[in-house]
C-alpha cells in the first residue's frame, strides 16, 4: 500500500512541462493540428471562431510560471520545435499565432534581436507566423461589422450609436497616448532603453452621468513624461516622425489601438446596459460568450505549417 502511495506522490511531484516546446512533444502524438498561442484567452477566443481549422485543434501556450511567456514564448517555441525536428518526426500541422501589437515581429527590434542572432532568423521565418492585422484579438470586438452583430445578439441595437460616439469622442486622447507608448517599446527597432515612463496606465473606465470617464490625470502625466523621453533620445527625429504616423494611423483605424483597452471600454459600456461579452460555462467558468464570437468576422491570414527535417513548409 505504501509503495502505491509513494508512486502516486512521485508522479505528482514530477515537474509539469512549462515551455511550449515541452508541451508540443507530448501533444504531437495525439492530435493532427496544433495551434500555439500566447495565452489562455487566445485559446478561448480562436477555438470558438467560425474558422474551421481553429475549432478542433489542440491549443498550447506557456504556463504562467514559465520563464518566458506570451508572444516571445511563441517565437522561441517556433525555433525550438524546428531544432527538435532534427531528432523527431512530426506529422502534425502547426499554426503559430501572435499578436501584432504595434510593430509585429522585426528581428532588428531589441525585443527580438537576441533570438534573431542565436537562431539566424530570416524574413521567411516571420512569414511563417500567423500575425494579427490588429493589435490583439480583443480588437476584433471593435470592428464595425462585429459591433453590429454584438449589439444585435445582445438585443441592444439602439445602444450602438451612442457607443460609437463615445469611442469617437475619446479617440484623440487614446491615439495620442498610444502613439507615444508604442514607439517607446522594445518592439520598435529605433528604441532600446528601459524606460519606466512607458509603463501602461490603468484607464479604470467608469460610466457616469451618461459619459465614460477614466484616469485622465494619469494619462496626461504619462504623455508628458513620454514627450520628454523622446526629446532627449538619440533617435529624436525618427521617433517624432513615428509618433505622427502612428497617431494618424490610430485615428483612422481604432482597431490598431491596444486591444485590452478597447475591450475594457466596450465591456464597461455593455455592463452599464446590463450586458456582457462573457458567459459562465460550468466546465470553464466565466469566459467569452461562444455565440458572440462565432458570429464575428475574423480577418486572419492563417499560416498552416508542416514540419520538415530542420524546418517548416507552408501548407497554405
Amino acid at each position: 500500500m505504501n509503495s502505491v502511495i509513494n508512486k502516486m506522490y512521485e508522479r505528482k511531484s514530477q515537474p509539469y512541462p512549462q515551455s511550449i516546446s515541452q508541451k508540443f512533444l507530448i501533444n504531437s502524438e495525439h492530435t493532427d493540428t496544433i495551434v500555439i498561442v500566447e495565452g489562455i484567452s487566445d485559446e478561448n477566443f480562436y477555438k470558438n471562431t467560425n474558422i474551421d481549422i481553429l475549432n478542433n485543434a489542440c491549443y498550447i501556450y506557456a504556463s504562467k510560471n514559465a520563464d518566458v511567456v506570451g508572444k516571445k514564448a511563441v517565437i522561441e517555441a517556433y525555433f525550438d520545435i524546428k531544432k527538435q525536428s532534427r531528432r523527431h518526426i512530426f506529422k502534425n500541422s502547426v499554426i503559430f499565432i501572435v499578436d501584432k501589437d504595434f510593430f509585429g515581429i522585426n528581428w532588428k527590434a531589441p525585443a527580438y534581436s537576441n533570438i534573431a542572432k542565436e537562431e539566424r532568423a530570416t524574413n521567411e521565418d516571420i512569414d511563417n507566423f500567423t500575425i494579427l492585422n490588429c493589435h490583439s484579438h480583443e480588437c476584433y470586438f471593435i470592428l464595425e461589422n462585429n459591433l453590429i452583430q454584438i449589439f444585435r445578439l445582445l438585443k441592444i441595437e439602439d445602444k450602438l450609436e451612442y457607443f460609437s460616439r463615445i469611442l469617437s469622442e475619446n479617440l484623440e486622447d487614446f491615439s495620442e497616448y498610444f502613439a507615444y507608448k508604442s514607439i517607446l517599446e522594445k518592439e520598435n527597432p529605433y528604441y532600446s532603453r528601459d524606460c519606466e515612463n512607458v509603463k501602461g496606465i490603468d484607464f479604470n473606465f467608469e460610466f457616469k452621468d451618461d459619459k465614460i470617464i477614466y484616469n485622465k490625470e494619469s494619462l496626461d502625466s504619462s504623455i508628458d513624461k513620454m514627450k520628454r523621453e523622446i526629446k532627449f533620445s538619440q533617435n529624436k527625429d525618427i521617433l517624432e516622425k513615428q509618433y505622427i504616423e502612428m497617431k494618424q494611423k490610430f485615428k483612422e483605424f481604432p482597431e490598431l489601438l491596444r486591444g485590452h483597452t478597447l475591450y475594457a471600454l466596450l465591456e464597461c459600456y455593455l455592463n452599464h446596459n446590463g450586458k456582457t461579452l462573457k458567459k459562465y460555462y460550468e466546465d470553464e467558468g466565466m469566459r467569452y460568450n461562444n455565440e458572440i464570437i462565432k458570429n464575428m468576422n475574423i480577418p486572419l491570414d492563417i499560416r498552416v505549417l508542416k514540419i520538415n527535417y530542420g524546418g517548416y513548409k507552408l501548407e497554405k
Side-chain angles (χ1 to χ4, degrees), residues 12-47:
K12 288 182 179 180
S13 66
Q14 293 297 317
Y16 187 80
Q18 293 184 337
S19 73
I20 293 174
S21 56
Q22 287 173 315
K23 293 181 178 182
F24 182 87
L25 274 175
I26 294 171
N27 286 279
S28 62
E29 300 176 6
H30 310 292
T31 186
D32 293 329
T33 303
I34 295 178
V35 182
I36 296 176
V37 293
E38 297 185 24
I40 189 170
S41 66
D42 298 290
E43 176 186 3
N44 289 339
F45 183 83
Y46 295 117
K47 73 180 182 182

Side-chain angles (χ1 to χ4, degrees), residues 42 46 99-101 132 134-140 255 257-260:
D42 298 290
Y46 295 117
D99 294 344
K100 179 180 180 180
D101 295 321
L132 274 61
C134 52
H135 182 275
S136 58
H137 76 257
E138 291 88 354
C139 298
Y140 288 124
E255 65 271 17
L257 291 163
R258 182 176 179 266
H260 289 288

Side-chain angles (χ1 to χ4, degrees), residues 161-277:
E161 183 180 353
Y162 192 59
F163 174 76
S164 299
R165 194 190 315 164
I166 288 172
L167 181 58
S168 178
E169 289 173 352
N170 291 283
L171 195 53
E172 179 69 29
D173 279 352
F174 294 166
S175 297
E176 182 179 19
Y177 171 74
F178 285 111
Y180 280 121
K181 188 175 186 306
S182 64
I183 61 177
L184 295 179
E185 292 188 350
K186 287 194 171 183
E187 287 205 343
N188 183 359
Y190 297 102
Y191 185 78
S192 60
R193 267 171 43 86
D194 283 316
C195 177
E196 62 181 23
N197 296 334
V198 301
K199 289 181 180 178
I201 67 167
D202 191 341
F203 281 79
N204 290 321
F205 291 117
E206 291 181 54
F207 202 87
K208 198 172 184 180
D209 298 327
D210 285 336
K211 289 184 179 180
I212 287 282
I213 60 172
Y214 51 88
N215 198 338
K216 187 76 165 59
E217 187 176 328
S218 292
L219 182 139
D220 291 339
S221 174
S222 182
I223 287 174
D224 287 342
K225 290 176 182 177
M226 290 188 287
K227 283 180 180 178
R228 288 197 296 272
E229 176 67 19
I230 291 173
K231 183 178 179 180
F232 297 106
S233 170
Q234 62 180 1
N235 288 328
K236 174 178 176 290
D237 293 341
I238 295 175
L239 294 177
E240 286 180 342
K241 183 181 178 182
Q242 281 186 318
Y243 162 75
I244 294 170
E245 291 173 350
M246 294 295 275
K247 183 177 179 181
Q248 185 59 37
K249 192 181 295 184
F250 291 150
K251 291 174 75 171
E252 291 180 20
F253 306 101
E255 65 271 17
L256 297 178
L257 291 163
R258 182 176 179 266
H260 289 288
T261 301
L262 294 172
Y263 179 87
L265 176 67
L266 176 58
E267 185 74 332
C268 176
Y269 181 76
L270 292 176
N271 290 168
H272 175 72
N273 288 283
K275 303 292 181 178
T276 179
L277 292 166

Side-chain angles (χ1 to χ4, degrees), residues 34 52 82 91 110 148 163 207 268 293 302:
I34 295 178
D52 290 341
K82 182 191 280 193
K91 297 181 180 179
I148 292 171
F163 174 76
F207 202 87
C268 176
I293 295 174
I302 299 175

